Amino acid sequence: MCYRLFAIMVLSFFLHATSYAEERKYALIVTSFQVELNKYQQNLNDFYNEVNKEHPDLVYVVENMNCRSLDEFNEWHGRIKGIVNKYSAEKPQFVLLLGNEALSSYLSLDNDFVQTVPAFAMLVNDKVVEITDEPADIKNCQPKMRSFSIGMKGCRIMGAVAYHYDIDTNVKLAKKLFPQTEKIFFFVDNTFGGFNLLGLANEWKRVSAGKNNIDMQIVDGRSYTFENAGKIYKNINPATEMAMFSTWRIDETGNYFVISTTKKLLEYSSDIPGVSITSTGIGDVCVGGYSPKYGSQGQKIGDMINRWLTTGKPQKVELVENHYTFDYNNIGKWNISKNRLPADSEIINKPLSIYESNPMEVMLFFLVMMTLVIIIIFLILYTNTRRRNLERLKQVNAQLVEAKEKAEEADMLKSKFIANMSHEIRTPLNAIVGFSELIVTSHKELPDDEINDISGLIAQNTQLLLRLINDVLDFSRIESNSVQLNPEPVELVGLSHSLIQTGMQNNTNKNVELRFTTSYEELWYTVDLRYLQQVIINLLNNAMKFTDEGSVTLELKKDDKDIIFSVTDTGIGIPLDKQQLVFRRFEKLNEFKQGTGLGLSICHAIIEKMGGKIFIDPEYTGGARFVFTLPLKK
């Protein structure tokens, strides 16, 4: 998290420096995406630190092309042209291009700026898709590839750090590991990175497919949904066919998959051989592949620019080193012996020996064993007169073990609490601090709609932080047994209607409908209103968090003994073996969802204090149904 904060500080410095561009020499940095929201952070940190060693007075100006999806492909030429025109009057000392989108767009220009201003690039491929000012049918066109080099005509490229994706080497690797292969299905997604790799695959088919006696079929994410791609994957014949993966994050629908899509393909079939040219899928659907060693390139490009600033001599296009990587489990699954693998191959996911994985535990085990042997010898040598002392020692040891277990449990709960809270609080706090500083330092440059969007994010994260703190405070009061109930007559039907209306106003997912059902027009009950509201709101929020589409229903009914509330959703549901865990403190079944893991524990404690019960209906399978009861007073 520290490097993210530092990246935001560096960005603020870049934006402050814009006003000095006309007075001092400066460098123009053009990024494909938002600086503080992607992998550019660490690269920019390393680049700045390296250049700052020898040129601490250099000023930086950052421009973001904001290339969000491949659908905007035809806009990129105009965006880079607008950026270049902005700085044509007072040209920078050099331009640094980050990302394939920025590089391809920059190479599409033909003007005095690109012909005279030195340029460098990183986080790019050595071959990129050619962009022109003519509109293209991006859904159906085939990419035209171009290389770039030092001293190329029409553009002063002085140096670069680039990836080289080698399809031919991976095809030969596939043939070596699976000699029966006659056809390869090449999976590529609906991104500009995927578009670049599609161009490389088309070149390979045109030049090398015949030489290798391989038929390659492209599974193009521009034309396939993930489900359709999965059906193709399922129908691959492992006797003569296999899969090759590049990237797969966005499909035809334009939706971004947070989960590992290659791992998801195992639900379609687990018996398809595969290799990867980008390391994607190694460990699940791919046995291995020949791919670049990914990592920060900021220090390399910074050192390259330092040499150029000192000598004025063109540098070079430095290719990131490629290496062979294989998954230990998959080479075993396909009975591939290690002597069939290329030399210097890296094998990942290899299980460690007991000592390698738990050195301290092994040493402690042997120490305990030695101690036990000594104790046994000591007991044998001692006379019967020491037996009473031995019994007393056993009692002391038992007390120590009990105390140790209690201390370990307390330490575990403390560590889990600190880990949860440090993550959950830092996430909204970082957003609040980062975007607040961005508004303060850049409000003059940002358009009103973007400031409104950022302000909305700040407000949203502030409310989230407040809810987290309230949960912790409520839980603290419950733990200290300082909760005092203040019962009062409450009309439950009206209360339920108002909570549903509030939930509908706060609901940002329009695919989820909030409902309330009851057979009563009016139902009074004496209860602490504040804590009853807290329980119902917690259950409704929890249901909406885990429901992507469908409905969340609050139901109120009564029998001879109890008032019965239930909250039913059509979400992902909770497995039977996990249903008792959700009421534990700091328990989160899904670590990717926001929250402290205290909400349901607080509900459980409140309902028990009210004399009721709360549980999950195990017979409901359409999602999850939480039920709590409140006893009727005689």
Side-chain angles (χ1 to χ4, degrees):
M1 301 302 294
C2 292
Y3 82 84
R4 291 185 177 179
L5 290 175
F6 180 72
I8 293 174
M9 294 173 63
V10 172
L11 174 62
S12 299
F13 171 77
F14 288 165
L15 295 174
H16 275 304
T18 305
S19 61
Y20 299 102
E22 296 182 357
E23 301 175 10
R24 306 172 61 184
K25 291 184 178 179
Y26 70 99
L28 174 61
I29 300 175
V30 180
T31 69
S32 299
F33 311 109
Q34 194 81 349
V35 173
E36 69 274 14
L37 299 179
N38 52 52
K39 62 184 178 182
Y40 292 166
Q41 291 177 344
Q42 188 61 50
N43 281 280
L44 278 176
N45 286 345
D46 295 342
F47 158 74
Y48 171 75
N49 290 333
E50 188 66 25
V51 175
N52 194 52
K53 293 177 183 177
E54 299 183 17
H55 302 86
D57 297 329
L58 187 62
V59 177
Y60 304 90
V61 178
V62 179
E63 290 285 354
N64 172 23
M65 289 185 61
N66 198 23
C67 302
R68 289 171 293 189
S69 70
L70 193 56
D71 292 336
E72 302 172 350
F73 179 82
N74 290 317
E75 301 175 16
W76 296 344
H77 175 83
R79 292 182 189 178
I80 193 68
K81 186 175 181 180
I83 292 173
V84 166
N85 290 341
K86 183 177 177 181
Y87 298 95
S88 293
E90 189 71 28
K91 295 177 182 176
Q93 195 167 2
F94 67 87
V95 175
L96 176 60
L97 304 165
L98 274 71
N100 286 318
E101 292 86 348
L103 175 62
S104 293
S105 302
Y106 192 78
L107 294 178
S108 71
L109 300 177
D110 182 14
N111 55 32
D112 176 70
F113 187 96
V114 298
Q115 292 170 4
T116 57
V117 177
F120 296 83
M122 68 173 173
L123 299 175
V124 298
N125 298 352
D126 59 342
K127 285 188 175 182
V128 293
V129 172
E130 182 176 294
I131 294 178
T132 67
D133 57 354
E134 296 294 329
D137 180 7
I138 193 60
K139 288 294 183 182
N140 301 300
C141 70
Q142 294 302 316
K144 182 179 180 182
M145 306 302 293
R146 66 175 300 179
S147 301
F148 67 95
S149 61
I150 303 302
M152 64 186 296
K153 183 180 179 181
C155 187
R156 291 193 66 196
I157 297 292
M158 291 289 124
V161 180
Y163 299 118
H164 173 67
Y165 292 101
D166 195 334
I167 294 180
D168 193 62
T169 298
N170 278 283
V171 170
K172 291 176 180 176
L173 174 66
K175 288 284 288 184
K176 180 179 180 180
L177 300 180
F178 304 96
Q180 76 282 3
T181 300
E182 299 175 359
K183 186 174 184 179
I184 292 177
F185 289 81
F186 187 84
F187 288 79
V188 61
D189 72 350
N190 186 23
T191 63
F192 190 63
F195 200 44
N196 273 271
L197 294 172
L198 173 62
L200 295 179
N202 287 339
E203 281 191 353
W204 183 88
K205 287 176 64 177
R206 185 175 63 255
V207 176
S208 303
K211 300 177 184 178
N212 290 275
N213 295 319
I214 288 290
D215 177 22
M216 179 176 285
Q217 178 177 330
I218 308 294
V219 182
D220 189 347
R222 297 177 303 165
S223 306
Y224 289 89
T225 63
F226 176 77
E227 288 74 15
N228 292 336
K231 293 176 182 178
I232 291 176
Y233 182 77
K234 179 180 180 180
N235 291 325
I236 292 177
N237 180 7
T240 58
E241 300 171 346
M242 67 181 302
M244 179 178 290
F245 288 91
S246 55
T247 60
W248 193 276
R249 281 295 186 189
I250 300 178
D251 65 5
E252 178 191 23
T253 64
N255 294 324
Y256 183 89
F257 291 87
V258 178
I259 60 172
S260 171
T261 49
T262 53
K263 188 174 183 178
K264 189 74 173 174
L265 286 176
L266 292 175
E267 298 179 4
Y268 291 89
S269 177
S270 60
D271 297 318
I272 308 299
V275 295
S276 174
I277 69 172
T278 62
S279 78
T280 296
I282 298 178
D284 38 66
V285 296
C286 294
V287 67
Y290 185 65
S291 60
K293 288 185 176 180
Y294 299 102
S296 178
Q297 302 172 8
Q299 185 176 1
K300 286 184 179 180
I301 201 71
D303 180 61
M304 190 180 293
I305 290 175
N306 276 339
R307 292 196 302 269
W308 173 78
L309 288 171
T310 302
T311 65
K313 295 180 180 179
Q315 300 302 300
K316 61 180 180 179
V317 176
E318 181 178 335
L319 298 181
V320 175
E321 180 185 358
N322 284 26
H323 70 317
Y324 288 97
T325 306
F326 296 93
D327 175 63
Y328 178 86
N329 296 317
N330 273 325
I331 61 177
K333 172 184 176 180
W334 295 102
N335 297 319
I336 300 173
S337 61
K338 293 183 179 178
N339 57 13
R340 292 175 58 194
L341 303 180
D344 301 323
S345 296
E346 177 186 2
I347 298 178
I348 61 175
N349 300 326
K350 183 178 180 181
L352 300 175
S353 66
I354 296 178
Y355 179 76
E356 288 174 327
S357 58
N358 303 285
M360 293 300 296
E361 288 79 357
V362 172
M363 292 177 63
L364 180 62
F365 173 77
F366 282 109
L367 181 61
V368 171
M369 293 299 297
M370 292 175 61
T371 303
L372 290 175
V373 171
I374 293 173
I375 292 175
I376 291 173
I377 295 175
F378 178 79
L379 293 174
I380 293 175
L381 295 178
Y382 263 69
T383 62
N384 292 335
T385 57
R386 310 289 288 180
R387 290 180 181 175
R388 285 183 298 176
N389 291 337
L390 179 61
E391 291 298 325
R392 184 178 179 184
L393 179 62
K394 289 181 179 179
Q395 293 176 2
V396 172
N397 283 338
Q399 293 172 357
L400 289 175
V401 169
E402 182 180 358
K404 178 175 176 290
E405 290 175 350
K406 291 181 178 179
E408 287 177 345
E409 181 181 2
D411 184 65
M412 179 188 68
L413 290 176
K414 180 198 73 174
S415 300
K416 195 167 185 179
F417 172 77
I418 292 174
N420 277 0
M421 291 307 299
S422 65
H423 172 73
E424 299 299 336
I425 289 180
R426 281 180 180 182
T427 299
L429 192 58
N430 282 341
I432 293 169
V433 173
F435 286 120
S436 297
E437 187 171 358
L438 186 61
I439 289 180
V440 170
T441 59
S442 307
H443 64 278
K444 293 182 179 180
E445 291 86 354
L446 295 175
D448 291 342
D449 57 346
E450 190 167 343
I451 291 178
N452 291 336
D453 290 342
I454 294 175
S455 300
L457 290 173
I458 293 173
Q460 179 182 348
N461 282 277
T462 301
Q463 290 300 318
L464 175 60
L465 186 60
L466 181 61
R467 285 199 299 272
L468 292 173
I469 294 173
N470 285 337
D471 276 354
V472 173
L473 293 176
D474 287 340
F475 183 75
S476 176
R477 285 194 293 269
I478 292 171
E479 283 284 280
S480 63
N481 201 28
S482 61
V483 173
Q484 297 295 326
L485 299 180
N486 298 306
E488 59 180 297
V490 176
E491 202 286 290
L492 300 181
V493 176
L495 172 65
S496 300
H497 276 297
S498 66
L499 294 180
I500 288 295
Q501 289 297 321
T502 302
M504 292 172 63
Q505 294 174 4
N506 296 332
N507 180 23
T508 58
N509 185 355
K510 302 307 179 183
N511 294 324
V512 179
E513 179 184 4
L514 272 70
R515 304 170 179 168
F516 170 63
T517 62
T518 185
S519 59
Y520 301 96
E521 293 187 1
E522 185 177 83
L523 182 61
W524 289 87
Y525 184 74
T526 302
V527 68
D528 189 301
L529 175 61
R530 173 176 174 266
Y531 284 110
L532 177 61
Q533 285 179 323
Q534 184 174 0
V535 170
I536 297 175
I537 291 172
N538 274 355
L539 294 179
L540 289 174
N541 289 341
N542 203 54
M544 289 188 288
K545 183 190 302 183
F546 292 94
T547 303
D548 293 329
E549 60 180 5
S551 63
V552 173
T553 303
L554 172 65
E555 184 178 8
L556 170 62
K557 56 185 180 180
K558 182 182 72 170
D559 60 17
D560 295 337
K561 297 180 179 179
D562 300 298
I563 297 290
I564 304 170
F565 282 91
S566 66
V567 176
T568 305
D569 63 61
T570 59
I572 58 176
I574 303 174
L576 285 174
D577 58 338
K578 303 291 186 182
Q579 290 187 357
Q580 293 304 315
L581 299 179
V582 299
F583 295 108
R584 292 184 180 178
R585 294 173 291 180
F586 313 120
E587 193 67 40
K588 296 176 66 176
L589 300 184
N590 187 341
E591 294 296 334
F592 294 100
K593 294 292 186 180
Q594 190 78 36
T596 59
L598 292 174
L600 291 177
S601 177
I602 292 172
C603 293
H604 186 270
I606 291 174
I607 294 302
E608 283 197 340
K609 194 167 185 67
M610 291 179 174
K613 297 179 181 179
I614 184 170
F615 56 93
I616 300 174
D617 184 356
E619 297 180 1
Y620 177 68
T621 59
R625 175 180 289 145
F626 285 79
V627 182
F628 70 89
T629 63
L630 298 174
L632 289 172
K633 312 284 192 304
K634 293 186 178 180

